[in-house]
Amino acid sequence: MYDKGSYVSYGGHGICQISDIRSMDFGNGIGQQEYYVIQPIAPGSATIYLPAGNSNVQKKMRPVLTQEEIDSIIHSVKNDEMPWVLDRKLRLAQFHQILSRRETRELLLLASCLHQRSMEKGLSGSELDILHRAEGIIEQEFAFSLQIGREKIGEYIQDKLK
């Protein structure tokens, strides 16, 4: 269970703050339930109400990474790479699955794979879009946790990989 005021990473919404935890009844026949009231940090995002006891919600929500965890994840990908899948449909399906899971290590490997490919042969429009989405997810959490500008995240990662 998370506390009011905590920051979490939640599914496709990215970094969110738990602004409240309260008992609510949405009139759906379930009755009163405890809900997390979360607010994504992205400007203009709507408030989200999540049942606190729901296991599916718990699977999509995790604490924001610490600097030590970020550094450990970066170090773990240093000598690893994601193989390039030759079949375009399978490759794009794999990339979309990685984006939906939002697992940081996988996202770093994906971004590295796409950067490498772009230097060697270029990327299609859909691959370039996937690269930008992966970078955006990584940048949001790393910038938030490290308290540095998003534009400095690539440099931070490169420094840690040396």
Side-chain angles (χ1 to χ4, degrees), residues 45-72:
S45 297
T47 300
I48 304 166
Y49 298 88
L50 302 169
N54 185 307
S55 63
N56 288 329
V57 167
Q58 297 298 327
K59 289 176 188 174
K60 294 180 184 179
M61 188 183 295
R62 65 167 173 76
V64 174
L65 296 172
T66 65
Q67 180 176 353
E68 293 77 23
E69 290 168 328
I70 289 170
D71 291 348
S72 176

Side-chain angles (χ1 to χ4, degrees), residues 80-85 88 91-96 98-99 106-136 138:
D80 205 356
E81 63 182 48
M82 178 180 291
W84 187 260
V85 176
R88 184 179 189 284
R91 181 174 63 248
L92 292 177
Q94 176 191 28
F95 292 168
H96 284 289
I98 291 169
L99 288 173
E106 282 186 309
L107 289 166
L108 283 171
L109 288 171
L110 173 60
S112 175
C113 174
L114 289 170
H115 274 289
Q116 183 73 26
R117 185 69 175 197
S118 72
M119 291 189 294
E120 294 170 0
K121 297 188 178 189
L123 297 175
S124 69
S126 54
E127 292 163 344
L128 191 58
D129 178 60
I130 289 167
L131 173 59
H132 292 305
R133 289 173 55 198
E135 288 174 332
I138 293 165

Side-chain angles (χ1 to χ4, degrees), residues 4 11 16 21-23 36 41 50 55 63 72 74 76-77 79 85 92 95 103 136 138 142 144 146 153 157:
K4 182 178 174 180
C16 302
I21 302 170
R22 61 181 144 184
S23 185
Y36 291 119
I41 64 169
L50 302 169
S55 63
S72 176
I74 293 170
S76 79
V77 301
N79 297 314
V85 176
L92 292 177
F95 292 168
E103 199 277 319
I138 293 165
F142 283 22
F144 181 83
L146 301 171
I153 298 302
I157 293 169

